[in-house]
Amino acid sequence: MIEIDPLIDYSKEQRRAIAFIDMKSFYASVECVERGLNPLSTSLCVMSGADNSAGLILASSPTFKKVFGKDNVGRSRDLPFYTNNRKFNYQNYYRTAPRDWLNKVNPPSKSKVAFIESWAKRTEIVPPRMSKYIEKNIEIQHAIQNFASPEDIFWYSIDEGFVDLTSSLNYFYDKALPAEVKLDRLSREIQLAILNQTGIYSTVGMSIGNPLLAKLALDNEAKHNSNMRAFWTYENIPDKVWKIKSLTDFWGINTRTEKRLNKLGIKSVYDLAHCSPALLKKEFGVVGVQLFFHANGVDESTVYEPYHAKSKSIGNSQVLPRDYADQTQIELVIKEMTEQVSIRLRKAKKQTTVVSLYVGYAYSENKRGLHIQKKIEVTNSIAVLSDQIMSLFRAGYSGGSVRRLGISFGGLCSEEVKLISLFDTFDKKAAKTETLQGAIDEIRKQYGFLALQKATSLLDGSRVVARSKLVGGHSAGGLDGLKWQE
């Protein structure tokens, strides 16, 4: 028995054989394999909008990360080389290099410049192909189904997911073998099957316990092991979970939560595990109690009933293909996005009581973005929501080029909720508008979003047709959030 808080009796906790499988640099690996390149030794990054300085790096290979010191997400302007000619980016170097006590920066060495430019010339910079990644995801899941039934698989995102292998261990291996040995061997077989099927390497976090321990094992150890596997269980919580270096390396804790925990004197996962649950509940509510139990390795979710955070909003954001300085064009895109999110709201049979708008200015503006929201009467009317969002924009926007836009509807409730007043009269015009919108919804549901479009979609600056060719906001067919699905 682990020496731990008396509130926890590990003998009563679930002990499932869980594997959390993650594809190593998935998007970048797919692109490497498609080009006949080794995903582990090739320098490659997947970049959306690579033809401009604000190009977004969506994924990169392990070698790219190691050579250029970059995480998956970033901008092309932050790279140590220019993407158009592969020359050393002196501007970025002098902007980010450490300064001495006289606020001066030493120039880069010739060897450093040569090293960066040499690797830059060998680096593949490719556009995203979301349809191809979805296709590979399906192949991977089919490979895993040779070792577990579909009911035992809960795919968490396009490149990672949980597999409950409890029923599979004794099917593939002798019952006399320890469960952790069987789980490790079966996980290795799954890694090999995925590699042989797709050419993609995978990492696996394993646990004879619960999904949380498997996920923590993957994030904090498996990714650093040569065999790309790691095993965590209740018995090694003090040596594994409590020794996670940073609070933000723990599942469910971001920098904002970390700051709030620090104010309570909690600096580590060990501190969190030994803190008073009552104190955490006072500060965070029920989530605080959940953090306490998670820090002690306790998780009640399963592959069959995974934990889902309650959806509190529906939204959409996009990075524009260029800087938009014309207010008319900015408003056109905002209206299109409002319609998109409104359709998702109606499809979910929800209404909103809070509308939010984000406006991110172009890099050259050097201005903080706008974050504005307001409470409104409950609705899911596209016309009403468009008016509300436009009023927010016009009240907060004072000029300047825009590069990012985001719209969100919160305070959701059922579409059956209605506000009734004794002084209300029947609004014939509103009823006709709702009937018309319902008909439009049905046509788009059957024939696709572009089956009916406003003439404004042909105007310069419109994004709706271009985005109809995207999946998940990136190149490859489909309109995220706009395609009706049964």
Side-chain angles (χ1 to χ4, degrees):
M1 178 63 67
I2 303 170
E3 294 292 333
I4 204 168
D5 195 288
L7 288 173
I8 302 172
D9 182 356
Y10 285 95
S11 67
K12 296 181 180 178
E13 294 300 322
Q14 59 175 321
R15 289 183 179 266
R16 309 290 297 179
I18 306 294
F20 189 86
I21 306 171
D22 176 68
M23 303 306 116
K24 197 168 186 67
S25 304
F26 182 52
Y27 293 177
S29 292
V30 171
E31 296 297 343
C32 286
V33 171
E34 290 293 305
R35 290 164 173 75
L37 303 171
N38 187 318
L40 298 183
S41 60
T42 301
S43 177
L44 179 146
C45 77
V46 180
M47 185 181 295
S48 180
D51 55 345
N52 61 69
S53 64
L56 179 64
I57 300 172
L58 302 174
S60 53
S61 67
T63 295
F64 181 95
K65 295 173 186 174
K66 182 178 179 180
V67 170
F68 300 114
K70 293 295 177 183
D71 293 328
N72 274 344
V73 179
R75 296 286 177 186
S76 62
R77 60 172 173 254
D78 298 324
L79 289 174
F81 64 91
Y82 292 105
T83 57
N84 58 342
N85 58 18
R86 310 302 171 96
K87 296 294 185 181
F88 188 81
N89 188 341
Y90 284 92
Q91 181 181 9
N92 182 57
Y93 172 80
Y94 283 108
R95 180 171 59 85
T96 59
R99 298 177 179 274
D100 62 18
W101 66 281
L102 292 174
N103 200 33
K104 293 182 179 180
V105 177
N106 292 324
S109 65
K110 290 183 179 180
S111 60
K112 179 180 179 64
V113 172
F115 175 81
I116 293 297
E117 291 186 347
S118 173
W119 271 104
K121 291 174 183 177
R122 285 179 279 168
T123 295
E124 298 274 348
I125 299 178
V126 303
R129 295 187 291 170
M130 298 306 295
S131 292
K132 175 61 68 173
Y133 309 148
I134 293 171
E135 177 186 315
K136 288 297 179 183
N137 167 271
I138 294 172
E139 284 186 38
I140 289 166
Q141 292 197 52
H142 284 166
I144 296 173
Q145 286 175 19
N146 290 322
F147 303 91
S149 69
E151 293 77 19
D152 292 328
I153 302 171
F154 173 71
W155 216 241
Y156 195 69
S157 67
I158 194 170
D159 64 342
E160 60 182 2
F162 293 99
V163 183
D164 190 324
L165 296 170
T166 308
S167 301
S168 303
L169 297 187
N170 291 336
Y171 181 82
F172 287 94
Y173 301 105
D174 191 296
K175 291 183 179 180
L177 283 174
E180 58 267 30
V181 173
K182 290 185 283 188
L183 178 58
D184 184 70
R185 290 184 181 180
L186 191 53
S187 296
R188 179 178 181 276
E189 290 299 318
I190 292 174
Q191 285 178 303
L192 291 173
I194 293 172
L195 181 63
N196 293 333
Q197 176 72 27
T198 66
I200 295 172
Y201 292 88
S202 57
T203 53
V204 184
M206 305 170 291
S207 177
I208 301 296
N210 57 55
L212 172 71
L213 289 173
K215 181 72 167 71
L216 293 175
L218 178 126
D219 291 339
N220 296 279
E221 185 178 345
K223 292 181 178 181
H224 309 293
N225 290 344
S226 58
N227 64 4
M228 302 183 194
R229 298 190 305 278
F231 176 79
W232 288 21
T233 188
Y234 298 120
E235 284 67 35
N236 59 24
I237 285 173
D239 296 324
K240 301 289 187 179
V241 179
W242 293 351
K243 291 186 179 179
I244 292 175
K245 292 182 179 180
S246 172
L247 280 169
T248 52
D249 290 334
F250 194 78
W251 189 85
I253 298 180
N254 55 25
T255 53
R256 184 176 178 182
T257 303
E258 180 185 37
K259 289 178 180 178
R260 292 176 67 185
L261 288 169
N262 289 166
K263 289 180 180 179
L264 298 176
I266 300 171
K267 307 292 186 181
S268 65
V269 176
Y270 178 90
D271 293 341
L272 180 59
H274 293 81
C275 180
S276 165
L279 177 63
L280 291 168
K281 185 175 182 180
K282 182 179 179 180
E283 174 67 23
F284 296 96
V286 176
V287 173
V289 179
Q290 185 179 72
L291 286 173
F292 168 80
F293 281 106
H294 282 180
N296 284 296
V298 175
D299 177 24
E300 299 302 324
S301 68
T302 68
V303 169
Y304 312 101
E305 295 182 1
Y307 169 76
H308 294 283
K310 185 178 180 181
S311 177
K312 296 181 180 179
S313 65
I314 292 177
N316 183 259
S317 63
Q318 66 169 296
V319 178
L320 301 174
R322 56 178 172 80
D323 295 345
Y324 276 48
D326 187 324
Q327 183 170 341
T328 302
Q329 293 187 356
I330 298 171
E331 291 187 359
L332 173 59
V333 178
I334 290 175
K335 289 176 181 177
E336 291 174 348
M337 292 179 65
T338 302
E339 183 175 15
Q340 172 187 348
V341 182
S342 299
I343 288 172
R344 290 176 58 197
L345 190 70
R346 295 167 69 90
K347 185 170 66 173
K349 300 186 183 301
K350 297 289 186 181
Q351 296 184 102
T352 180
T353 58
V354 179
V355 294
S356 303
L357 172 69
Y358 167 71
V359 178
Y361 290 101
Y363 185 69
S364 59
E365 294 287 341
N366 195 27
K367 292 169 64 176
R368 293 185 63 182
L370 295 174
H371 292 267
I372 323 168
Q373 72 174 31
K374 65 184 291 190
K375 290 186 176 182
I376 63 172
E377 289 189 357
V378 59
T379 185
N380 64 5
S381 166
I382 293 177
V384 172
L385 291 170
S386 181
D387 288 343
Q388 294 288 354
I389 290 292
M390 290 313 304
S391 70
L392 282 179
F393 175 71
R394 289 168 180 165
Y397 179 72
S398 58
S401 298
V402 171
R403 196 54 179 267
R404 300 177 301 280
L405 292 168
I407 289 170
S408 176
F409 299 148
L412 305 183
C413 63
S414 170
E415 66 177 359
E416 296 177 358
V417 174
K418 302 292 181 184
L419 291 180
I420 300 174
S421 169
L422 293 173
F423 304 101
D424 282 346
T425 58
F426 179 70
D427 190 335
K428 186 179 293 186
K429 182 179 179 180
K432 285 185 176 180
T433 300
E434 181 60 30
T435 301
L436 175 61
Q437 188 59 56
I440 293 173
D441 289 347
E442 286 299 318
I443 292 172
R444 285 173 168 169
K445 181 177 180 180
Q446 185 169 353
Y447 298 105
F449 180 78
L450 293 182
L452 285 176
Q453 277 304 305
K454 298 175 181 177
T456 54
S457 64
L458 301 177
L459 293 176
D460 186 30
S462 172
R463 293 284 296 141
V464 70
V465 175
R467 286 178 66 80
S468 70
K469 301 173 184 178
L470 308 180
V471 169
H474 301 290
S475 175
L479 189 52
D480 184 38
L482 297 183
K483 278 193 172 182
W484 289 85
Q485 296 179 349
E486 295 293 352

